[in-house]
Amino acid sequence: AQSVTQLGSHVSVSEGALVLLRCNYSSSVPPYLFWYVQYPNQGLQLLLKYTSAATLVKGINGFEAEFKKSETSFHLTKPSAHMSDAAEYFCAVSDRGSSNTGKLIFGQGTTLQVKP
Amino acid sequence: DTEVTQTPKHLVMGMTNKKSLKCEQHMGHRAMYWYKQKAKKPPELMFVYSYEKLSINESVPSRFSPECPNSSLLNLHLHALQPEDSALYLCASSQEGTGTGYTFGSGTRLTVV
């Protein structure tokens, strides 16, 4: 069964500092991987996705993630945090089977706090 | 049009009421989803519609009844809910099977009193 684990339910960084949010996946087949961001009382917005093209994926708002098969990881990074990055971040995995309905499995989420 | 629109944004209902949540997309996506999200938790899948047919029901209580009238619309009919059903209900759509990810609506904040 597929699953994702997000290490750290809460991450706090200073404005301008590096953001690193960790995600490890478990999948028996090459997965699709996604990062979503959720601001308070809003839906989820897709930041970026990995679908087996380039292993380094660039997303919106300056975020990027690197797919590392050997480490089963898909960590999210941003070189310099901005106050507006404070939000909840979810890593998600989807299978690629022939019966794929695009069902997403979410991690537990990481709250990013950005301090001035 | 790259949006999923959900109405209403907020809903307060009594345990004996009947209400409906609505979701609409015009991106030509053929898979649509209902998720339930409690505070500080990830979304939990409730239902999946694929080509307007119910393909997944994640053992959701019968007081929640989904409906897909056409390829652009998805409803969630609510009846005899419990206070623990209070949550953010999210609708999403996707191009099934292509790994493009979901497009989510902004959700309906439901409070059951």
Side-chain angles (χ1 to χ4, degrees):
Chain A
Q2 292 181 317
S3 65
V4 287
T5 302
Q6 292 183 238
L7 299 176
S9 60
H10 189 99
V11 171
S12 181
V13 301
S14 298
E15 190 175 19
L18 171 71
V19 175
L20 171 60
L21 305 182
R22 299 177 187 273
C23 173
N24 288 89
Y25 69 91
S26 172
S27 175
S28 58
V29 298
Y32 294 137
L33 291 161
F34 308 87
W35 275 100
Y36 284 88
V37 61
Q38 187 176 32
Y39 298 99
N41 296 314
Q42 293 189 25
L44 280 71
Q45 181 182 15
L46 181 65
L47 279 176
L48 49 79
K49 62 189 179 190
Y50 168 75
T51 57
S52 83
T55 56
L56 181 62
V57 181
K58 294 188 183 299
I60 62 172
N61 302 339
F63 285 94
E64 62 181 38
E66 185 172 7
F67 174 72
K68 291 186 177 181
K69 184 177 179 180
S70 61
E71 299 177 7
T72 62
S73 69
F74 190 56
H75 301 331
L76 182 71
T77 60
K78 182 174 181 178
S80 177
H82 191 273
M83 297 297 291
S84 61
D85 294 326
E88 189 77 13
Y89 291 80
F90 291 99
C91 181
V93 63
S94 174
D95 67 60
R96 300 183 181 203
S98 59
S99 62
N100 178 26
T101 59
K103 181 178 177 178
L104 283 182
I105 307 297
F106 286 92
Q108 289 300 303
T110 298
T111 302
L112 175 64
Q113 179 187 24
V114 182
K115 298 176 291 185
Chain B
D1 189 351
T2 58
E3 286 187 344
V4 173
T5 303
Q6 290 187 243
T7 56
K9 293 194 180 305
H10 301 275
L11 178 62
V12 179
M13 61 184 291
M15 289 188 285
T16 59
N17 290 159
K18 288 185 180 180
K19 296 287 184 183
S20 297
L21 309 184
K22 296 186 183 301
C23 174
E24 187 170 6
Q25 59 91 12
H26 295 288
M27 294 176 283
H29 290 172
R30 300 315 299 265
M32 296 186 75
Y33 311 80
W34 280 114
Y35 275 83
K36 174 183 178 179
Q37 186 180 27
K38 302 285 275 186
K40 303 296 184 184
K41 296 292 185 182
E44 298 176 359
L45 183 65
M46 301 175 71
F47 302 104
V48 179
Y49 272 83
S50 175
Y51 291 86
E52 301 161 49
K53 295 190 185 304
L54 183 65
S55 60
I56 294 178
N57 177 340
E58 292 286 334
S59 302
V60 179
S62 60
R63 58 185 183 269
F64 295 91
S65 176
E67 178 195 20
C68 189
N70 60 55
S71 61
S72 300
L73 294 174
L74 186 66
N75 298 322
L76 186 63
H77 303 297
L78 314 173
H79 174 55
L81 295 193
Q82 302 298 309
E84 59 264 29
D85 296 321
S86 299
L88 181 68
Y89 287 84
L90 293 165
C91 175
S93 67
S94 74
Q95 282 284 47
E96 183 183 274
T98 62
T100 57
Y102 291 5
T103 300
F104 279 87
S106 57
T108 294
R109 175 70 63 186
L110 174 66
T111 302
V112 181
V113 297

